[in-house]
Amino acid sequence: QVQLVESGGGLVPPGGSLTLSCKASGVTFRSYHIGWFRQAPGKEREFVAGIRGFNSMTYYADSVKGRFTMTKDSAENMIYLQMNSLKTEDTAVYYCTADPRLILSSLRIASHWDYWGQGTQVTVSS
């Protein structure tokens, strides 16, 4: 079955960098779309970045474009989110997600994704 396990969260000052990792089991990247979402206290879960399985096109939320980079390592079944120039508003629990059937218009909708990790906390604070 599909299992996603995130790691790499922590406390970082504004302007700093952090890389999140997600180990995926039961997922073939060619056949699954993969993504990162985040959820801040009192807010809805929001799309951060996603890679479509069949063509590896990568999409980003406007709020992170140019600062975050999502990559995958198919040989190791690892998913990464490199976060640079972090801001206090990036503070949230970050979730790794996967789904075999999403259409492009559903990529940014959390409820349309099937599989989720447990999340890792990222806190941006001085």
Side-chain angles (χ1 to χ4, degrees):
Q1 67 272 23
V2 176
Q3 187 175 18
L4 304 168
V5 180
E6 303 96 334
S7 60
L11 174 65
V12 61
S17 298
L18 203 60
T19 299
L20 304 183
S21 301
C22 175
K23 176 65 177 177
S25 304
V27 172
T28 303
F29 286 167
R30 277 197 314 275
S31 304
Y32 276 74
H33 311 295
I34 52 177
W36 288 97
F37 278 73
R38 66 187 181 186
Q39 189 165 20
K43 294 189 175 182
E44 293 190 357
R45 195 167 295 191
E46 66 171 355
F47 174 79
V48 175
I51 298 178
R52 298 193 78 193
F54 63 93
N55 62 8
S56 294
M57 288 284 292
T58 308
Y59 300 84
Y60 296 96
D62 288 343
S63 58
V64 308
K65 204 173 290 183
R67 300 189 298 123
F68 290 12
T69 302
M70 180 178 178
T71 57
K72 62 180 181 179
D73 181 336
S74 299
E76 299 293 331
N77 258 39
M78 293 292 296
I79 305 162
Y80 301 100
L81 185 68
Q82 172 68 43
M83 305 184 294
N84 298 326
S85 303
L86 282 161
K87 305 175 181 179
T88 55
E89 50 264 43
D90 295 318
T91 295
V93 177
Y94 283 71
Y95 297 91
C96 177
T97 185
D99 193 282
R101 292 176 302 271
L102 283 179
I103 59 176
L104 183 58
S105 60
S106 295
L107 199 72
R108 300 168 190 265
I109 304 172
S111 61
H112 288 205
W113 291 76
D114 272 352
Y115 302 103
W116 294 87
Q118 82 288 351
T120 186
Q121 175 70 46
V122 172
T123 302
V124 184
S125 174
S126 54

